[in-house]
mmCIF file of all heavy atoms in Angstrom:
data_model
loop_
_atom_site.group_PDB
_atom_site.id
_atom_site.type_symbol
_atom_site.label_atom_id
_atom_site.label_comp_id
_atom_site.label_asym_id
_atom_site.label_seq_id
_atom_site.Cartn_x
_atom_site.Cartn_y
_atom_site.Cartn_z
ATOM 1 N N HIS B 111 78.252 -33.631 -24.165
ATOM 2 C CA HIS B 111 77.896 -34.163 -22.841
ATOM 3 C C HIS B 111 79.021 -35.027 -22.278
ATOM 4 O O HIS B 111 79.399 -34.874 -21.102
ATOM 5 C CB HIS B 111 76.609 -34.986 -22.944
ATOM 6 C CG HIS B 111 76.297 -35.750 -21.685
ATOM 7 N ND1 HIS B 111 75.814 -35.136 -20.548
ATOM 8 C CD2 HIS B 111 76.431 -37.083 -21.375
ATOM 9 C CE1 HIS B 111 75.658 -36.034 -19.595
ATOM 10 N NE2 HIS B 111 76.026 -37.228 -20.068
ATOM 11 N N ALA B 112 79.552 -35.917 -23.097
ATOM 12 C CA ALA B 112 80.624 -36.793 -22.634
ATOM 13 C C ALA B 112 81.839 -35.979 -22.204
ATOM 14 O O ALA B 112 82.463 -36.257 -21.171
ATOM 15 C CB ALA B 112 81.005 -37.784 -23.737
ATOM 16 N N ALA B 113 82.167 -34.959 -22.991
ATOM 17 C CA ALA B 113 83.312 -34.112 -22.658
ATOM 18 C C ALA B 113 83.083 -33.370 -21.348
ATOM 19 O O ALA B 113 83.995 -33.247 -20.511
ATOM 20 C CB ALA B 113 83.571 -33.116 -23.792
ATOM 21 N N GLY B 114 81.860 -32.892 -21.154
ATOM 22 C CA GLY B 114 81.541 -32.184 -19.921
ATOM 23 C C GLY B 114 81.635 -33.083 -18.698
ATOM 24 O O GLY B 114 82.148 -32.676 -17.647
ATOM 25 N N GLU B 115 81.143 -34.328 -18.840
ATOM 26 C CA GLU B 115 81.212 -35.276 -17.734
ATOM 27 C C GLU B 115 82.670 -35.593 -17.380
ATOM 28 O O GLU B 115 83.044 -35.614 -16.204
ATOM 29 C CB GLU B 115 80.474 -36.565 -18.115
ATOM 30 C CG GLU B 115 78.973 -36.400 -18.265
ATOM 31 C CD GLU B 115 78.283 -36.204 -16.930
ATOM 32 O OE1 GLU B 115 78.078 -37.204 -16.223
ATOM 33 O OE2 GLU B 115 77.971 -35.037 -16.586
ATOM 34 N N PHE B 116 83.472 -35.851 -18.414
ATOM 35 C CA PHE B 116 84.887 -36.166 -18.183
ATOM 36 C C PHE B 116 85.592 -34.990 -17.510
ATOM 37 O O PHE B 116 86.348 -35.173 -16.540
ATOM 38 C CB PHE B 116 85.579 -36.507 -19.495
ATOM 39 C CG PHE B 116 87.065 -36.720 -19.354
ATOM 40 C CD1 PHE B 116 87.570 -37.872 -18.780
ATOM 41 C CD2 PHE B 116 87.963 -35.746 -19.783
ATOM 42 C CE1 PHE B 116 88.935 -38.063 -18.635
ATOM 43 C CE2 PHE B 116 89.325 -35.923 -19.635
ATOM 44 C CZ PHE B 116 89.821 -37.083 -19.054
ATOM 45 N N HIS B 117 85.347 -33.797 -18.010
ATOM 46 C CA HIS B 117 86.005 -32.615 -17.459
ATOM 47 C C HIS B 117 85.602 -32.394 -16.005
ATOM 48 O O HIS B 117 86.437 -32.026 -15.168
ATOM 49 C CB HIS B 117 85.648 -31.397 -18.302
ATOM 50 C CG HIS B 117 86.342 -30.142 -17.894
ATOM 51 N ND1 HIS B 117 87.693 -29.942 -18.048
ATOM 52 C CD2 HIS B 117 85.868 -29.003 -17.311
ATOM 53 C CE1 HIS B 117 88.026 -28.751 -17.603
ATOM 54 N NE2 HIS B 117 86.935 -28.157 -17.140
ATOM 55 N N HIS B 118 84.326 -32.640 -15.710
ATOM 56 C CA HIS B 118 83.840 -32.446 -14.342
ATOM 57 C C HIS B 118 84.527 -33.425 -13.386
ATOM 58 O O HIS B 118 84.973 -33.037 -12.292
ATOM 59 C CB HIS B 118 82.325 -32.657 -14.316
ATOM 60 C CG HIS B 118 81.683 -32.311 -13.006
ATOM 61 N ND1 HIS B 118 81.801 -31.076 -12.419
ATOM 62 C CD2 HIS B 118 80.923 -33.057 -12.158
ATOM 63 C CE1 HIS B 118 81.134 -31.045 -11.273
ATOM 64 N NE2 HIS B 118 80.606 -32.252 -11.088
ATOM 65 N N VAL B 119 84.627 -34.689 -13.800
ATOM 66 C CA VAL B 119 85.279 -35.685 -12.953
ATOM 67 C C VAL B 119 86.772 -35.378 -12.811
ATOM 68 O O VAL B 119 87.351 -35.539 -11.723
ATOM 69 C CB VAL B 119 85.070 -37.102 -13.534
ATOM 70 C CG1 VAL B 119 85.842 -38.135 -12.724
ATOM 71 C CG2 VAL B 119 83.587 -37.457 -13.543
ATOM 72 N N ALA B 120 87.391 -34.920 -13.897
ATOM 73 C CA ALA B 120 88.817 -34.577 -13.836
ATOM 74 C C ALA B 120 89.057 -33.444 -12.850
ATOM 75 O O ALA B 120 90.061 -33.443 -12.114
ATOM 76 C CB ALA B 120 89.313 -34.190 -15.229
ATOM 77 N N ARG B 121 88.144 -32.474 -12.805
ATOM 78 C CA ARG B 121 88.267 -31.372 -11.835
ATOM 79 C C ARG B 121 88.147 -31.902 -10.410
ATOM 80 O O ARG B 121 88.849 -31.460 -9.496
ATOM 81 C CB ARG B 121 87.207 -30.312 -12.097
ATOM 82 C CG ARG B 121 87.457 -29.477 -13.348
ATOM 83 C CD ARG B 121 86.318 -28.500 -13.612
ATOM 84 N NE ARG B 121 86.254 -27.475 -12.588
ATOM 85 C CZ ARG B 121 85.206 -27.268 -11.788
ATOM 86 N NH1 ARG B 121 84.145 -28.051 -11.895
ATOM 87 N NH2 ARG B 121 85.211 -26.311 -10.903
ATOM 88 N N MET B 122 87.238 -32.849 -10.219
ATOM 89 C CA MET B 122 87.084 -33.448 -8.893
ATOM 90 C C MET B 122 88.365 -34.159 -8.478
ATOM 91 O O MET B 122 88.797 -34.081 -7.320
ATOM 92 C CB MET B 122 85.919 -34.434 -8.886
ATOM 93 C CG MET B 122 84.546 -33.801 -8.931
ATOM 94 S SD MET B 122 83.242 -35.055 -8.836
ATOM 95 C CE MET B 122 81.777 -33.996 -8.773
ATOM 96 N N ALA B 123 88.961 -34.866 -9.434
ATOM 97 C CA ALA B 123 90.198 -35.589 -9.132
ATOM 98 C C ALA B 123 91.317 -34.640 -8.736
ATOM 99 O O ALA B 123 92.205 -35.001 -7.951
ATOM 100 C CB ALA B 123 90.617 -36.424 -10.335
ATOM 101 N N ARG B 124 91.254 -33.425 -9.277
ATOM 102 C CA ARG B 124 92.278 -32.418 -8.935
ATOM 103 C C ARG B 124 91.898 -31.631 -7.683
ATOM 104 O O ARG B 124 92.626 -30.721 -7.267
ATOM 105 C CB ARG B 124 92.472 -31.462 -10.113
ATOM 106 C CG ARG B 124 93.079 -32.103 -11.348
ATOM 107 C CD ARG B 124 93.525 -31.064 -12.358
ATOM 108 N NE ARG B 124 92.422 -30.277 -12.877
ATOM 109 C CZ ARG B 124 91.736 -30.568 -13.990
ATOM 110 N NH1 ARG B 124 92.043 -31.658 -14.683
ATOM 111 N NH2 ARG B 124 90.753 -29.790 -14.400
ATOM 112 N N GLY B 125 90.717 -31.938 -7.113
ATOM 113 C CA GLY B 125 90.282 -31.254 -5.898
ATOM 114 C C GLY B 125 89.803 -29.845 -6.124
ATOM 115 O O GLY B 125 89.842 -29.016 -5.208
ATOM 116 N N GLN B 126 89.315 -29.545 -7.322
ATOM 117 C CA GLN B 126 88.867 -28.190 -7.652
ATOM 118 C C GLN B 126 87.369 -28.034 -7.393
ATOM 119 O O GLN B 126 86.538 -28.571 -8.128
ATOM 120 C CB GLN B 126 89.184 -27.869 -9.111
ATOM 121 C CG GLN B 126 90.668 -27.863 -9.428
ATOM 122 C CD GLN B 126 90.927 -27.614 -10.898
ATOM 123 O OE1 GLN B 126 90.082 -27.797 -11.751
ATOM 124 N NE2 GLN B 126 92.146 -27.188 -11.201
ATOM 125 N N ARG B 127 87.012 -27.345 -6.341
ATOM 126 C CA ARG B 127 85.628 -27.008 -6.013
ATOM 127 C C ARG B 127 84.712 -28.226 -6.022
ATOM 128 O O ARG B 127 83.654 -28.236 -6.643
ATOM 129 C CB ARG B 127 85.094 -25.954 -6.989
ATOM 130 C CG ARG B 127 85.799 -24.622 -6.907
ATOM 131 C CD ARG B 127 85.107 -23.601 -7.775
ATOM 132 N NE ARG B 127 83.755 -23.355 -7.306
ATOM 133 C CZ ARG B 127 82.860 -22.608 -7.954
ATOM 134 N NH1 ARG B 127 83.176 -22.066 -9.115
ATOM 135 N NH2 ARG B 127 81.656 -22.413 -7.460
ATOM 136 N N THR B 128 85.107 -29.273 -5.349
ATOM 137 C CA THR B 128 84.272 -30.470 -5.291
ATOM 138 C C THR B 128 83.469 -30.469 -3.996
ATOM 139 O O THR B 128 84.011 -30.172 -2.929
ATOM 140 C CB THR B 128 85.127 -31.737 -5.351
ATOM 141 O OG1 THR B 128 86.035 -31.737 -4.246
ATOM 142 C CG2 THR B 128 85.908 -31.801 -6.649
ATOM 143 N N PRO B 129 82.170 -30.801 -4.067
ATOM 144 C CA PRO B 129 81.336 -30.803 -2.857
ATOM 145 C C PRO B 129 81.546 -32.067 -2.018
ATOM 146 O O PRO B 129 80.640 -32.879 -1.817
ATOM 147 C CB PRO B 129 79.920 -30.745 -3.428
ATOM 148 C CG PRO B 129 80.015 -31.409 -4.762
ATOM 149 C CD PRO B 129 81.381 -31.075 -5.276
ATOM 150 N N GLY B 130 82.776 -32.250 -1.543
ATOM 151 C CA GLY B 130 83.081 -33.384 -0.681
ATOM 152 C C GLY B 130 83.266 -34.695 -1.402
ATOM 153 O O GLY B 130 83.237 -35.763 -0.778
ATOM 154 N N ILE B 131 83.473 -34.655 -2.725
ATOM 155 C CA ILE B 131 83.621 -35.882 -3.504
ATOM 156 C C ILE B 131 85.096 -36.072 -3.859
ATOM 157 O O ILE B 131 85.744 -35.157 -4.370
ATOM 158 C CB ILE B 131 82.780 -35.824 -4.796
ATOM 159 C CG1 ILE B 131 81.302 -35.632 -4.453
ATOM 160 C CG2 ILE B 131 82.962 -37.089 -5.625
ATOM 161 C CD1 ILE B 131 80.417 -35.389 -5.657
ATOM 162 N N SER B 132 85.605 -37.280 -3.598
ATOM 163 C CA SER B 132 86.980 -37.597 -3.962
ATOM 164 C C SER B 132 86.965 -38.729 -4.977
ATOM 165 O O SER B 132 86.295 -39.750 -4.762
ATOM 166 C CB SER B 132 87.785 -38.029 -2.726
ATOM 167 O OG SER B 132 87.839 -36.974 -1.784
ATOM 168 N N VAL B 133 87.673 -38.557 -6.080
ATOM 169 C CA VAL B 133 87.743 -39.589 -7.113
ATOM 170 C C VAL B 133 89.180 -39.701 -7.608
ATOM 171 O O VAL B 133 89.984 -38.779 -7.461
ATOM 172 C CB VAL B 133 86.818 -39.271 -8.317
ATOM 173 C CG1 VAL B 133 85.361 -39.250 -7.894
ATOM 174 C CG2 VAL B 133 87.197 -37.939 -8.960
ATOM 175 N N ALA B 134 89.476 -40.852 -8.218
ATOM 176 C CA ALA B 134 90.795 -41.035 -8.822
ATOM 177 C C ALA B 134 90.819 -40.328 -10.172
ATOM 178 O O ALA B 134 89.773 -39.999 -10.743
ATOM 179 C CB ALA B 134 91.079 -42.521 -8.999
ATOM 180 N N ALA B 135 92.006 -40.082 -10.678
ATOM 181 C CA ALA B 135 92.141 -39.418 -11.974
ATOM 182 C C ALA B 135 91.467 -40.258 -13.055
ATOM 183 O O ALA B 135 91.759 -41.449 -13.194
ATOM 184 C CB ALA B 135 93.612 -39.210 -12.304
ATOM 185 N N PRO B 136 90.550 -39.666 -13.843
ATOM 186 C CA PRO B 136 89.830 -40.429 -14.863
ATOM 187 C C PRO B 136 90.637 -40.541 -16.151
ATOM 188 O O PRO B 136 91.610 -39.820 -16.365
ATOM 189 C CB PRO B 136 88.575 -39.591 -15.092
ATOM 190 C CG PRO B 136 89.044 -38.177 -14.889
ATOM 191 C CD PRO B 136 90.082 -38.266 -13.786
ATOM 192 N N SER B 137 90.211 -41.463 -17.005
ATOM 193 C CA SER B 137 90.785 -41.574 -18.338
ATOM 194 C C SER B 137 89.642 -41.526 -19.340
ATOM 195 O O SER B 137 88.480 -41.759 -18.985
ATOM 196 C CB SER B 137 91.579 -42.874 -18.492
ATOM 197 O OG SER B 137 90.729 -43.993 -18.312
ATOM 198 N N PHE B 138 89.978 -41.242 -20.588
ATOM 199 C CA PHE B 138 88.939 -41.135 -21.609
ATOM 200 C C PHE B 138 89.368 -41.900 -22.850
ATOM 201 O O PHE B 138 90.508 -41.796 -23.296
ATOM 202 C CB PHE B 138 88.689 -39.663 -21.972
ATOM 203 C CG PHE B 138 87.594 -39.486 -23.001
ATOM 204 C CD1 PHE B 138 86.273 -39.542 -22.625
ATOM 205 C CD2 PHE B 138 87.903 -39.298 -24.337
ATOM 206 C CE1 PHE B 138 85.260 -39.407 -23.561
ATOM 207 C CE2 PHE B 138 86.908 -39.153 -25.288
ATOM 208 C CZ PHE B 138 85.578 -39.211 -24.891
ATOM 209 N N ASP B 139 88.429 -42.661 -23.413
ATOM 210 C CA ASP B 139 88.663 -43.431 -24.627
ATOM 211 C C ASP B 139 87.600 -43.024 -25.638
ATOM 212 O O ASP B 139 86.404 -43.268 -25.423
ATOM 213 C CB ASP B 139 88.588 -44.927 -24.324
ATOM 214 C CG ASP B 139 89.031 -45.792 -25.513
ATOM 215 O OD1 ASP B 139 88.967 -45.300 -26.652
ATOM 216 O OD2 ASP B 139 89.425 -46.947 -25.285
ATOM 217 N N LEU B 140 88.025 -42.408 -26.725
ATOM 218 C CA LEU B 140 87.078 -41.897 -27.714
ATOM 219 C C LEU B 140 86.341 -43.023 -28.444
ATOM 220 O O LEU B 140 85.210 -42.834 -28.892
ATOM 221 C CB LEU B 140 87.815 -41.005 -28.721
ATOM 222 C CG LEU B 140 86.983 -40.060 -29.579
ATOM 223 C CD1 LEU B 140 86.035 -39.217 -28.743
ATOM 224 C CD2 LEU B 140 87.904 -39.158 -30.403
ATOM 225 N N GLY B 141 86.959 -44.199 -28.540
ATOM 226 C CA GLY B 141 86.326 -45.312 -29.243
ATOM 227 C C GLY B 141 84.996 -45.727 -28.630
ATOM 228 O O GLY B 141 83.956 -45.723 -29.304
ATOM 229 N N PRO B 142 84.968 -46.102 -27.333
ATOM 230 C CA PRO B 142 83.698 -46.451 -26.699
ATOM 231 C C PRO B 142 82.700 -45.295 -26.689
ATOM 232 O O PRO B 142 81.492 -45.519 -26.771
ATOM 233 C CB PRO B 142 84.118 -46.827 -25.269
ATOM 234 C CG PRO B 142 85.530 -47.269 -25.400
ATOM 235 C CD PRO B 142 86.115 -46.401 -26.465
#
C-alpha cells in the first residue's frame, strides 16, 4: 500500500494522467 501511494504521487508530480492535481516531487523514507 505504501509503495502504491508513493508511486501514485510520484506520477502526479511528473504530470502523468493526473485529474487536475499538481504536487511537488515526493520523497520516501523506509524507516518511518
Side-chain angles (χ1 to χ4, degrees):
H111 171 74
E115 293 288 281
F116 175 74
H117 184 69
H118 188 56
V119 175
R121 288 176 67 241
M122 287 183 176
R124 293 193 297 267
Q126 297 177 340
R127 295 187 63 187
T128 60
I131 301 173
S132 298
V133 297
S137 61
F138 182 80
D139 189 337
L140 197 51

